[in-house]
Amino acid sequence: EVRLVESGGGLGQPGRSLRLSCAASGFTFDEYAMHWVRQVPGKGLEWVAGISWDSGTIAYADSVKGRFTVSRDNAKNSLFLQVNSLRAEDTALYYCAKVRYPSTTSSYFDYWGQGTLVTVSS
Amino acid sequence: SYVLTQPPSVSVAPGQTARVSCGGNNIETKSVHWYQQKPGQAPVLVLHDDSDRPSGIPERFSGSNSGNTATLTISRVEAGDEADYYCHVWDRSNDHRVFGGGTKLTVL
């Protein structure tokens, strides 16, 4: 059974940093690209970042480029999102998501975690 | 950047057909995927590649994609279909993923 479990959210002060994690199990993690998607409570989905299976291809939404860094540790079946220079508008539920097909970055998302909530406030 | 436009809400009576549109420039050249999200839950894939259903998704869910509009169609709508629906594409030009703003389906 595929499982994605996010952690690391919480209350962060403006300008500070947080590191989000996503622990994956139930599939061969190092064969699949992974993504982060966020959702402001009561609002829509916003794609944040994606990373290929080998970390060779990384992409960011314009809204977070330069402040967020996505990475992965295939040996530990883990995905990360380093969130720097926190802003109020970063307050959201952050989901990690797995792509359907291995060895491709263009596929849709077939599994999602339950999300970790980031609240930015002083 | 590529933009997907969805109506904020669609309402339909039980047993009727609901259609949720997703507009984008020349969207027919892209593969469109659809997710269903119920309150307090993570999104669930209901259609991929315009009209393919993952296993476990009822045949009542179908899709099309032509010109500048992709459409998710839900036939014989049930109360359990009430949810937010999001369309999603890959923008090849910048390797970005794009979501529509979401449509709240209300079953009257």
Side-chain angles (χ1 to χ4, degrees), chain A residues 35 37 39 43-47 57-62 93 95 99 101 104-110 112-114, chain B residues 1 33 35 37 40-45 47-49 54 84 86 88 90 92 94-102:
Chain A
H35 292 259
V37 177
Q39 185 172 34
K43 302 297 183 182
L45 301 173
E46 179 189 17
W47 174 77
T57 300
I58 291 174
Y60 297 97
D62 293 344
L93 186 64
Y95 294 102
V99 301
Y101 296 106
T104 178
T105 58
S106 63
S107 177
Y108 51 91
F109 307 150
D110 61 347
W112 299 62
Q114 287 303 307
Chain B
S1 59
H33 319 297
Y35 303 88
Q37 186 181 35
Q41 298 183 19
V44 172
L45 180 73
L47 285 180
H48 63 88
D49 298 296
D84 294 325
Y86 296 90
H88 164 221
W90 174 50
R92 181 188 300 267
N94 55 12
D95 199 25
H96 285 191
R97 277 71 179 155
V98 182
F99 288 97

Side-chain angles (χ1 to χ4, degrees), chain B residues 4-21:
Chain B
L4 294 174
T5 301
Q6 297 183 238
S9 62
V10 168
S11 299
V12 63
Q16 298 304 303
T17 297
R19 294 179 178 84
V20 180
S21 63

Side-chain angles (χ1 to χ4, degrees), chain B residues 22-89:
Chain B
C22 175
N25 183 37
N26 214 19
I27 197 173
E28 68 177 358
T29 63
K30 302 183 183 300
S31 293
V32 180
H33 319 297
W34 292 90
Y35 303 88
Q36 175 194 71
Q37 186 181 35
K38 295 182 178 180
Q41 298 183 19
V44 172
L45 180 73
V46 294
L47 285 180
H48 63 88
D49 298 296
D50 299 340
S51 59
D52 292 338
R53 281 177 289 105
S55 63
I57 301 301
E59 291 184 6
R60 301 184 297 105
F61 287 77
S62 62
S64 63
N65 186 6
S66 179
N68 294 317
T69 305
T71 303
L72 166 68
T73 300
I74 309 172
S75 304
R76 302 181 300 283
V77 166
E78 302 173 356
D81 298 330
E82 190 164 280
D84 294 325
Y85 291 85
Y86 296 90
C87 56
H88 164 221
V89 301

